[in-house]
């Protein structure tokens, strides 16, 4: 074949070469091929990136998971609620103690309710509750319950889920009917074998017809201070008016083993504020009303025999904690990505030295400095991006495996007969919630690290003297 | 025939340890016509490769002029020199200098990548035709390390032709090959020259130089002799 029979050469593009977008995929393909020649080395050199991105994804997920846990907890309590409780004043020694008996009277009463009512429409529901620790009985079975006398709104405000039956109604309340709703544990203890519905439970000398049973629920976490953890499962709910009629509006509660008794009129009032919890304005509304309630109580109560709890405060605590956690995470991630970046720079410098001859050939055949820069920059970036993607996979793997790990370990220890350890393992909860933006962030940062740390080696490659490079023997 | 490559009063100094100058090329005046086939000869260290690097726009002279196709190359930027290499010149090296990770076809098309040309079926057809022309039509997907030295040098020849260069520069193209393979390579270069390509080739061997139309001998950075193989010798002074 003669040279003149060869299909003609294409017309060169003036100012061609360089790094057009059309060539990008091709360049990536070539980079992958060069890296494939040194699979293990490429993989090891991006280990820092893999560790960095996977830890970001996993830790973000666990942080998010516990945040979501806290949020759910707060939502169970009602995020726009304000809870006012009676608390025993710190110095209940003399004044309020009724001299004839050893009864300490303190706390909220119906006058406070009337004061709260002045807020009008901004409080959508107001649920007062009285609490009587009591013994509930059915036949020969007995259970210590927290008998709660309240209004029908209690069910909504406290997000009571019913397993069967209904909560008591406005009708029950108005007519002072002896209906009751049992908490899950209460129902379980009193009626282990039969259906509780329609049965009659004895409590404080009266009979109550079971009209509903609540489903089992997670106790809300306590915040310490004024807000105690609440375990709804041992409750028994009756209409407030019924309690006022049959038990009386003033009741002394004698706690076991104590000579003194306490008289608390209203144990707690839960108010739901008309506000959107997801908006800043809504949160401000809740806070403002909370402050007003505190001032009102301060004005009318001589002693601090009340406490105001705003679950929303906990939400903000949780958010602050999340922020602290995130900044710690950013620190860890930056350090590992810095180490990863230096790893890449190191390997790219070695690669440039190793491929000096190749650089000389490319320059002799018409490659411009920017072609060489682009080639090595793409190679570094492809490497870190692959590292980032591997990190995402590893991170997601951790996110899905770690939460079930204690359960699996518990199962194993159970098999080997270590029941205690198994039980302990079962209490470990590692909630995880994949944070989707963190995935994009991790990959994005990996790309950035490649560009940043690949730049210097790539420039160094481009600036090599072509003749020196061609003469290089490797 | 017009001169396609012309050097005027060309000097090249290297500086050892920063300051001590080494005068390698000392006022060369040479003019190569389009379509010529020139063999550059001379003892080791006489400056053949140094001259070739300047002719190949890989290096710049210390002083003097280098006219390539009538244009003065001395003051061009690095990018402009790259563009000249990619459009005007074809290189053949003693050590073949193929990229080991690329196939035969990919090695041949590499200069086109740097022309900014879009690689498509047409460019591929050209590369494959060139491979076939140098006798490697059945080895398109082989990698350089799977080929003999002679075969690798053929790939290099095909690569030097892909951009349809005006001048082919070959620094000791047969330096690593046995005599039989050298003859095959020289036949190929002669064929190219006959079809119109200008070739400038460095060699140490007289029987290789015998394939050229003109033999220029350097010694210590000056032209020692300049003869046409089919004519009487012309002296250095008369060369220009
Ligand atoms: N980068 C450099 N720095 C200093 N001196 C150099 C450099 N490159 C070449 N030289 C010197 O220039 C002179 C000519 O070298 P050149 O490579 O051109 O010789 P050559 O004719 O190609 O020899 P050979 O036949 O051995 O290839 C030599 O003395 C060499 O030492
Ligand atoms: Mg040489």
């Amino acid at each position: 074949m003669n040279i003149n029979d060869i299909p003609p050469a294409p017309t060169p593009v003036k100012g061609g070469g360089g790094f057009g977008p059309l060539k990008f995929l091709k360049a990536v393909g070539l980079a992958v091929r060069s890296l494939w020649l040194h699979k293990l080395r490429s993989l090891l050199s991006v280990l820092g990136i893999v560790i960095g991105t996977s830890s970001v994804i996993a830790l973000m997920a666990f942080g998010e998971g516990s945040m979501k846990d806290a949020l759910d907890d707060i939502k169970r309590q009602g995020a726009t609620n304000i809870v006012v409780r009676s608390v025993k004043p710190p110095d209940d020694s003399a004044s309020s103690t009724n001299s004839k008996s050893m009864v300490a009277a303190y706390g909220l009463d119906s006058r406070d309710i009337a004061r709260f009512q002045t807020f009008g429409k901004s409080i959508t529901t107001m649920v007062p509750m009285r609490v009587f620790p009591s013994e509930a009985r059915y036949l020969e079975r007995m259970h210590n319950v927290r008998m709660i006398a309240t209004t029908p709104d209690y069910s909504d405000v406290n997000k009571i889920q019913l397993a069967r039956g209904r909560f008591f109604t406005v009708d029950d309340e108005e007519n002072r009917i002896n209906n009751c709703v049992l908490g899950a544990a209460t129902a379980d203890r009193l009626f282990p074998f039969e259906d509780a519905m329609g049965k009659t439970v004895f409590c404080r000398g009266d009979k109550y017809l079971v009209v509903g049973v609540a489903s089992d629920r997670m106790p809300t976490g306590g915040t310490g201070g004024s807000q105690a953890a609440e375990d709804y499962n041992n409750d028994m709910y009756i209409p407030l008016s019924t309690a006022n009629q049959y038990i009386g509006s003033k009741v002394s509660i004698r706690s076991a083993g104590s000579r003194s008794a306490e008289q608390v009129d209203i144990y707690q009032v839960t108010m739901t504020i008309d506000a959107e919890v997801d908006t800043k304005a809504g949160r401000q509304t809740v806070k403002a009303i909370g402050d007003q309630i505190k001032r009102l109580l301060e004005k009318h109560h001589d002693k601090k025999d009340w406490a105001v709890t705003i679950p929303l405060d906990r939400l903000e605590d949780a958010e602050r904690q999340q922020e602290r956690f995130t900044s710690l995470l950013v620190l860890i991630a930056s350090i590992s990505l810095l180490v990863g970046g230096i790893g890449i720079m190191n390997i790219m410098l070695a690669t440039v030295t190793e491929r000096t001859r190749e650089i000389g050939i490319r320059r002799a055949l018409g490659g411009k400095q920017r072609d060489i820069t682009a080639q090595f920059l793409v190679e570094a970036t492809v490497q870190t991006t692959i590292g980032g993607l591997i990190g995402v996979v590893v991170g997601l793997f951790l996110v899905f495996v770690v939460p079930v790990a204690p359960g699996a370990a518990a199962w194993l220890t159970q098999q080997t007969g270590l029941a205690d350890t198994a039980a302990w393992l079962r209490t470990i909860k590692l909630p995880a919630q994949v944070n989707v933006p963190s995935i994009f962030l991790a990959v994005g940062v990996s790309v950035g690290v490649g560009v940043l740390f690949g730049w210097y080696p790539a420039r160094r490659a481009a600036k090599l003297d072509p003749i020196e490079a061609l003469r290089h023997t490797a | 025939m017009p001169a396609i490559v012309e050097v005027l009063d060309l000097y090249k100094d290297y500086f050892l340890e920063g300051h001590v100058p080494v005068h390698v090329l000392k006022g060369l005046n040479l003019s190569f016509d389009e379509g010529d086939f020139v063999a550059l000869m001379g003892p080791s260290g006489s400056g053949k490769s140094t001259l070739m690097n300047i002719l190949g726009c890989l290096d710049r002279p210390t002083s003097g002029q280098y006219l390539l196709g009538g244009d003065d190359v001395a003051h061009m930027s690095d990018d402009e020199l790259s563009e000249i290499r990619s459009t005007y010149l074809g290189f053949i090296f003693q050590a073949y200098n193929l990229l080991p990770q690329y196939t035969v076809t990919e090695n041949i098309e590499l200069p086109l990548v740097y022309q900014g040309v879009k690689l498509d079926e047409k460019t591929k057809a050209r590369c494959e035709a060139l491979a076939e022309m140098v006798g490697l039509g059945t080895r398109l997907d082989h990698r350089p390390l799977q080929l003999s030295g002679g075969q690798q040098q053929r790939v290099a020849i095909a690569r030097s032709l892909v951009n349809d260069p005006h001048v082919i520069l070959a620094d000791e193209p047969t330096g690593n090959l046995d005599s039989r393979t050298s003859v095959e390579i020289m036949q190929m270069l002669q064929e190219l020259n006959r079809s119109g390509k200008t070739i400038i080739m460095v060699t140490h061997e007289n029987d290789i130089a015998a394939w050229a139309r003109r033999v220029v001998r350097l010694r210590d950075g000056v032209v020692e002799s300049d003869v046409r193989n089919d004519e009487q010798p012309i002296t250095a002074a008369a060369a220009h």
Side-chain angles (χ1 to χ4, degrees):
Chain A
M1 192 189 278
N2 187 280
I3 181 77
N4 296 317
D5 304 332
I6 304 288
T11 319
V13 178
K14 190 74 190 149
F19 198 55
L22 273 171
K23 289 172 142 189
F24 183 69
L25 278 180
K26 175 122 183 147
V28 168
L30 293 178
V32 169
R33 269 176 64 181
S34 314
L35 295 172
W36 195 249
L37 291 174
H38 308 283
K39 289 176 277 289
L40 183 63
R41 189 172 80 176
S42 306
L43 194 68
L44 289 178
S45 62
V46 296
L47 210 55
I49 310 269
V50 172
I51 291 169
T53 48
S54 60
S55 59
V56 166
I57 296 210
L59 292 177
M60 278 288 245
F62 295 127
E64 196 99 326
S66 52
M67 174 76 177
K68 190 175 173 291
D69 241 29
L71 259 174
D72 287 350
D73 197 37
I74 290 155
K75 288 202 174 129
R76 269 197 293 279
Q77 286 184 37
T80 62
N81 285 359
I82 293 176
V83 181
V84 185
R85 299 200 312 154
S86 298
V87 290
K88 198 168 182 169
D91 56 332
D92 63 335
S93 46
S95 59
S96 74
T97 310
N98 189 321
S99 52
K100 277 179 258 166
S101 61
M102 289 285 284
V103 174
Y106 63 84
L108 308 167
D109 56 32
S110 49
R111 288 172 301 174
D112 292 309
I113 305 272
R115 287 176 198 127
F116 298 152
Q117 262 149 4
T118 61
F119 287 103
K121 281 230 163 50
S122 36
I123 296 175
T124 48
T125 56
M126 174 149 47
V127 179
M129 77 193 246
R130 305 180 66 194
V131 173
F132 313 98
S134 318
E135 284 175 2
R137 276 183 290 123
Y138 177 73
L139 302 178
E140 81 290 349
R141 290 192 283 273
M142 193 265 279
H143 186 53
N144 285 321
V145 298
R146 200 168 71 131
M147 187 191 219
I148 292 173
T150 184
T151 56
D153 282 338
Y154 181 93
S155 159
D156 280 342
V157 169
N158 288 286
K159 314 276 189 294
I160 303 285
Q161 304 276 327
L162 290 172
R164 42 217 289 115
R166 58 172 175 84
F167 207 73
F168 55 80
T169 58
V170 180
D171 209 42
D172 296 333
E173 164 76 9
E174 275 171 3
N175 298 310
R176 300 167 188 190
I177 310 285
N178 280 39
N179 280 347
C180 73
V181 173
L182 302 183
T186 311
D188 235 37
R189 292 293 295 274
L190 295 180
F191 304 96
F193 311 117
E194 57 270 77
D195 186 4
M197 295 291 294
K199 303 285 190 314
T200 306
V201 173
F202 281 89
C203 196
R204 291 193 160 250
D206 287 298
K207 297 185 225 167
Y208 297 91
L209 181 71
V210 179
V211 296
V213 175
S215 0
D216 191 35
R217 70 183 285 179
M218 256 164 59
T220 56
T223 46
S226 57
Q227 177 72 17
E230 282 194 73
D231 179 4
Y232 293 90
N233 289 332
N234 290 305
D235 286 352
M236 168 176 169
Y237 307 104
I238 62 167
L240 182 62
S241 57
T242 312
N244 288 343
Q245 167 137 346
Y246 293 101
I247 306 176
S249 62
K250 296 214 181 293
V251 176
S252 304
I253 299 159
R254 199 175 293 276
S255 34
S258 163
R259 281 170 56 236
S260 66
E262 293 175 4
Q263 182 187 309
V264 178
D265 206 0
I266 290 169
Y267 174 78
Q268 178 175 309
V269 181
T270 307
M271 283 162 274
T272 305
I273 310 304
D274 181 22
E276 275 298 325
V277 72
D278 296 324
T279 67
K280 203 167 176 74
R283 292 181 193 188
Q284 289 300 336
T285 310
V286 175
K287 276 191 172 167
I289 293 176
D291 288 343
Q292 279 169 299
I293 285 172
K294 282 181 200 164
R295 273 199 296 278
L296 205 61
L297 289 165
E298 262 159 23
K299 198 164 126 199
H300 294 284
H301 286 241
D302 302 335
K303 288 174 297 176
K304 182 93 167 61
D305 56 355
W306 50 269
V308 175
T309 309
I310 304 172
L312 202 60
D313 289 343
R314 279 190 63 206
L315 180 70
E316 291 182 349
D317 280 351
E319 276 170 355
R320 268 194 294 278
Q321 204 169 332
Q322 168 95 341
E323 266 165 34
R324 274 198 295 275
F325 189 68
T326 306
S327 44
L328 187 71
L329 204 69
V330 167
L331 189 73
I332 295 171
S334 323
I335 291 170
S336 55
L337 289 172
L338 182 72
V339 172
I342 292 168
I344 281 297
M345 188 143 130
N346 187 29
I347 207 73
M348 287 311 294
L349 286 172
T351 302
V352 167
T353 306
E354 198 172 85
R355 287 160 64 186
T356 300
R357 182 75 166 253
E358 173 184 334
I359 294 161
I361 296 168
R362 288 176 182 276
R363 294 281 279 131
L365 298 182
K368 298 186 176 117
Q369 289 196 8
R370 61 170 182 271
D371 293 314
I372 306 297
T373 307
Q375 181 193 342
F376 285 93
L377 204 53
V378 167
E379 206 162 292
T381 308
V382 163
Q383 217 168 338
T384 57
T385 307
I386 289 172
L389 292 173
I390 294 173
V392 168
V393 171
V394 172
L396 290 178
F397 175 79
L398 289 175
V399 168
F400 290 110
V401 164
V402 170
V404 299
W411 184 83
L412 274 176
T413 41
Q414 187 90 53
Q415 300 302 302
T416 51
L418 296 162
D420 283 355
T421 319
W424 171 75
L425 282 168
R426 273 199 201 91
T427 61
I428 299 175
K429 263 187 270 158
L430 294 163
Q433 179 86 11
V434 175
N435 178 299
V436 177
S438 76
I439 295 178
F440 290 103
L441 186 77
V443 176
V445 169
S446 305
V447 174
V449 165
V451 174
L452 198 68
F453 289 89
W455 184 259
Y456 173 68
R459 284 306 296 164
R460 209 161 121 147
K463 291 217 162 96
L464 286 174
D465 176 13
I467 301 165
E468 298 284 330
L470 274 171
R471 207 180 282 153
H472 190 88
T473 45
Chain B
M1 282 253 195
I4 189 164
V5 166
E6 192 167 16
V7 296
L8 301 169
D9 207 18
L10 193 79
Y11 284 84
K12 180 69 187 180
D13 300 339
Y14 285 112
F15 292 91
L16 286 177
E17 313 283 315
H19 297 294
V20 188
V22 181
H23 307 289
V24 178
L25 301 180
K26 302 164 186 167
L28 287 185
N29 287 291
L30 282 167
S31 170
F32 302 136
D33 293 340
E34 189 158 12
D36 211 346
F37 187 173
V38 181
L40 271 178
M41 297 190 77
S44 190
S46 57
K48 303 182 294 293
S49 294
T50 304
L51 177 60
M52 287 294 268
N53 287 338
I54 291 170
L55 297 183
C57 296
L58 289 163
D59 204 355
R60 294 166 206 265
T62 308
S63 71
Q65 269 189 312
Y66 169 25
L67 304 174
L68 179 58
D71 295 331
D72 191 352
V73 166
H75 304 293
M76 287 188 177
S77 72
D78 193 81
D79 275 3
E80 285 169 322
L81 291 180
S82 297
E83 219 149 290
I84 297 254
R85 289 198 294 274
S86 119
T87 53
Y88 247 72
L89 306 174
F91 287 89
I92 301 168
F93 305 93
Q94 177 177 359
Y96 327 131
N97 281 344
L98 304 176
L99 294 191
Q101 69 266 40
Y102 287 0
T103 64
V104 166
T105 314
E106 288 167 332
N107 266 291
I108 295 174
E109 77 187 2
L110 191 58
L112 298 181
V113 171
Y114 293 123
Q115 286 192 341
V117 164
K118 193 173 174 296
L119 299 180
D120 54 18
E121 289 309 312
K122 272 195 257 170
T123 59
K124 195 166 181 233
R126 177 172 172 84
C127 294
E128 285 173 0
L130 283 168
E132 201 165 312
M133 185 188 86
V134 298
L136 289 170
T138 57
R139 311 270 171 139
L140 297 176
D141 292 325
H142 283 54
R143 315 246 162 203
L145 292 179
Q146 298 164 333
L147 301 174
S148 71
Q151 288 170 327
Q152 289 189 55
Q153 196 61 300
R154 291 152 186 249
V155 177
I157 290 171
R159 180 179 67 183
S160 75
L161 292 169
V162 73
N163 59 344
D164 196 14
H166 293 72
V167 178
I168 292 174
L169 298 165
D171 195 344
E172 299 189 45
T174 59
N176 287 8
L177 301 174
D178 63 32
S179 51
R180 223 195 71 195
T181 319
S182 297
V183 168
E184 284 169 21
I185 295 295
M186 289 320 296
Q187 279 170 338
M188 210 164 267
L189 291 181
Q190 188 175 57
E191 175 89 1
L192 285 172
N193 176 248
R194 284 186 179 148
S195 61
K197 293 279 174 222
T198 310
I199 300 176
I200 303 172
M201 169 188 77
V202 171
T203 183
H204 280 285
E205 293 159 68
N206 286 320
D207 46 347
I208 297 295
W211 290 83
R213 294 175 196 260
R214 177 179 169 189
V215 180
V216 175
R217 285 180 192 274
L218 297 186
R219 181 178 289 276
D220 291 333
V222 294
V223 177
E224 184 192 46
S225 71
D226 188 346
V227 293
R228 299 211 74 88
N229 273 343
D230 43 1
E231 293 169 15
Q232 291 300 309
I234 39 181
T235 63
H240 189 61

